[in-house]
């Protein structure tokens, strides 16, 4: 079986990340297994769209698109999926760079026709040059990275991590699009879990589907200085709880919290014990890590409770549509438990005539399926 063509989608929203965006694109173009194309999807920022269009107008294989849906990461990804030409669609964060064999390891996973998604390992690059002593590795999902507790090597998982992930196009035909109303919206409250909700829907639509985590598919994700502070840690864990409530509302608490139960009952108690042991031995950061873990669990739980109440009252809604290819007239998405269905996503190629020149967490934990358990990014 020949290796699938892979389109890479990078969703962008601010000129403040200009150098990061250029580095992300360069890392895709340097892959040992070339991408079929790179799609830059700009989230309602005309100035950035125009600047990127000028930057890449002479670059074959790079297209710049405007987000054809509502503001936010989910709609941006859906725009990229609709415009992509590849059999596999990979997603890379706009502030990350991929190692040279990143796409090669993704492609290997798809040799098995049952595999519908392959994710990789995201390594933090701290702005200060080193991990804060108090910051527990078990909570690296807070900054959009792989965390301690995920399975090693190549393993089946419940869901992949959004900023370093890939899906077969047919996965979206079966499960529908990323849900809008969940996930990031620029620099607003750092919600997440849109890929978790999609992956659970996918497994329900295709019970024999295999979702893999391959920790050889590595990207390096920049962590800005503001996210190294405890205030961001609290905000992000609270937002994760809010997001998890939406996921549970959509797919049920049994699946929506399956991996999180293992994470909180196995991974985190062991981490607290290590932190307290280090504190007793006089090692730096031990007590801080134990305290951060306790705080993270409490704030995430508070967010979940608040989010559950809001969801039951109908204060928060989200919708799932179907990705449409150019010229398709289908408007119905697959049945979904929880969110209402939205009209199908418009085709990105038709939606932006400026993009016609030529031819893939946010933060939060990725739950482990056959590993030590985990949270979800």
């Amino acid at each position: 079986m020949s290796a699938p063509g892979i389109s890479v989608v990078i969703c962008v929203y601010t000129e403040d990340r200009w150098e990061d965006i250029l580095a992300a694109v360069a890392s895709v173009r340097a892959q040992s297994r070339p991408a079929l194309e790179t799609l830059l999807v700009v989230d309602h920022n005309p100035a950035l769209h125009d600047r990127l269009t000028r930057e890449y107008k002479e670059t074959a294989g790079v297209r710049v698109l405007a987000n054809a849906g509502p503001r936010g990461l989910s709609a941006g990804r859906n725009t990229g999926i609709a415009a992509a030409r590849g059999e596999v669609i990979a997603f890379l964060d706009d502030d990350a760079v991929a190692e040279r064999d990143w796409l090669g390891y993704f492609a290997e996973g798809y040799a098995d026709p049952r595999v519908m998604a392959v994710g990789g390992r995201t390594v933090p690059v701290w702005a200060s040059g080193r991990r804060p002593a108090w910051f527990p590795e078990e909570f690296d999902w807070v900054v959009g990275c792989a965390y301690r507790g995920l399975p090693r090597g190549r393993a089946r998982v419940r869901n992949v991590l959004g900023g370093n992930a890939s899906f077969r196009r047919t996965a979206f035909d079966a499960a529908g699009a990323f849900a809008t109303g969940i996930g990031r919206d620029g620099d607003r409250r750092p919600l997440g879990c849109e890929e978790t909700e999609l992956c659970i829907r996918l497994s329900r639509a295709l019970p024999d589907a295999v979702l893999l985590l391959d920790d050889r598919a590595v990207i390096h994700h920049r962590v800005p200085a503001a996210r190294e502070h405890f205030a961001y840690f609290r905000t992000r864990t609270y937002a994760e709880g809010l997001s998890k409530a939406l996921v549970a509302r959509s797919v049920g608490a049994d699946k929506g919290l399956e991996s999180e139960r293992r994470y909180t009952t196995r991974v985190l108690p062991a981490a607290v014990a290590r932190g307290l042991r280090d504190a007793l031995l006089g090692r730096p950061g031990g007590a801080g890590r134990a305290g951060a873990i306790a705080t993270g669990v409490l704030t995430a739980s508070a967010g979940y409770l608040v989010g559950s109440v809001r969801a039951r009252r109908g204060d928060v809604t989200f919708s799932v549509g179907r990705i449409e290819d150019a010229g398709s007239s289908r408007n119905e998405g697959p049945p979904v438990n929880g969110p209402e269905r939205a009209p199908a996503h418009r085709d990105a190629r038709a939606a932006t005539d400026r993009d016609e020149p030529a031819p893939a967490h946010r933060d939060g934990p990725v739950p482990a399926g056959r590993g030590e358990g985990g949270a979800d990014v």
Side-chain angles (χ1 to χ4, degrees):
M1 180 184 295
S2 60
I6 302 179
S7 299
V8 177
V9 173
I10 303 173
C11 294
V12 303
Y13 70 97
T14 176
E15 289 185 86
D16 292 343
R17 292 187 176 181
W18 179 256
E19 296 300 327
D20 293 330
I21 295 167
L22 298 187
V25 173
S27 74
V28 175
R29 292 176 57 78
Q31 290 293 297
S32 59
R33 186 203 184 285
L36 179 65
E37 60 185 344
T38 301
L39 305 178
L40 289 165
V41 182
V42 183
D43 194 12
H44 297 271
N45 185 333
L48 177 59
H49 181 283
D50 291 345
R51 188 177 179 187
L52 285 169
T53 299
R54 292 193 299 272
E55 179 72 23
Y56 290 109
K57 66 180 179 180
E58 305 295 335
T59 305
V62 178
R63 285 192 287 160
V64 180
L65 310 172
N67 180 358
R71 186 183 302 275
L73 180 60
S74 290
R77 287 174 174 166
N78 292 339
T79 296
I81 296 163
R85 300 179 177 128
E87 179 186 342
V88 169
I89 300 159
F91 299 95
L92 177 66
D93 276 347
D94 63 346
D95 53 356
V97 294
E99 291 192 359
R100 180 171 168 76
D101 295 325
W102 178 62
L103 290 181
Y105 289 124
F106 277 176
E108 279 186 22
Y110 293 106
D112 182 344
R114 299 174 301 161
V115 173
M116 287 289 124
V118 182
R121 178 164 57 97
T122 303
V123 178
V125 180
W126 303 95
S128 62
R130 58 186 301 179
R131 170 187 300 277
W134 61 267
F135 202 114
E137 292 181 28
E138 292 79 6
F139 275 78
D140 278 4
W141 55 264
V142 164
V143 291
C145 295
Y147 59 93
R148 187 171 186 168
L150 285 175
R152 302 307 300 267
R154 183 156 56 166
R156 292 185 69 166
V157 292
R158 182 190 66 180
N159 65 276
V160 293
L161 186 94
N164 180 8
S166 63
F167 295 84
R168 287 193 195 272
R169 173 176 290 281
T170 52
F172 301 106
D173 295 335
F178 283 99
T180 56
I182 302 180
R184 291 266 179 165
D185 180 1
D187 286 322
R188 299 181 184 181
R189 173 169 282 167
L191 300 171
C193 296
E194 66 279 4
E195 66 276 11
T196 304
E197 194 272 343
L198 170 65
C199 288
I200 296 173
R201 261 193 288 127
L202 174 59
S203 294
R204 286 184 168 177
L206 300 174
D208 294 330
V210 173
L211 286 67
L212 292 177
L213 177 66
D214 188 337
D215 69 2
R216 301 172 300 170
V218 177
I219 69 170
H220 297 267
H221 182 263
R222 188 175 66 81
V223 180
R227 296 186 183 183
E228 295 186 14
H229 296 298
F230 194 66
Y232 179 81
F233 183 90
R234 291 196 312 267
T235 299
R236 178 65 188 91
T237 52
Y238 179 78
E240 183 72 4
L242 293 174
S243 302
K244 279 295 188 299
L246 285 177
V247 172
R249 181 73 172 173
S250 171
V251 300
D254 56 340
K255 275 292 181 185
L257 299 177
E258 180 182 45
S259 293
E260 288 70 20
R261 292 189 188 99
R262 289 194 296 270
Y263 174 73
T264 54
T265 58
R266 298 181 191 176
V267 176
L268 295 187
V272 169
R274 282 193 299 271
L276 294 176
R277 180 198 62 197
D278 287 348
L280 290 173
L281 294 174
R283 295 171 182 166
R289 291 196 303 275
I293 292 169
T295 300
V297 171
L298 289 173
T299 54
S301 298
Y304 182 82
L305 290 173
V306 171
S308 297
V309 170
R310 290 177 179 173
R312 283 196 297 270
R313 291 193 315 213
D315 294 346
V316 181
T317 60
F318 60 99
S319 58
V320 178
R322 179 181 290 278
I323 300 294
E324 294 221 22
D325 294 324
S328 171
S329 60
R330 294 176 299 172
N331 289 314
E332 289 291 319
V336 177
N337 294 325
E340 61 181 272
R341 285 185 303 200
H345 203 72
R346 291 182 299 157
D347 174 50
R349 284 169 286 194
T352 57
D353 31 38
R354 286 183 293 180
D355 302 325
E356 280 306 303
H361 185 345
R362 236 52 211 355
D363 299 331
V366 173
R370 292 184 182 172
E372 299 176 65
D376 156 338
V377 194

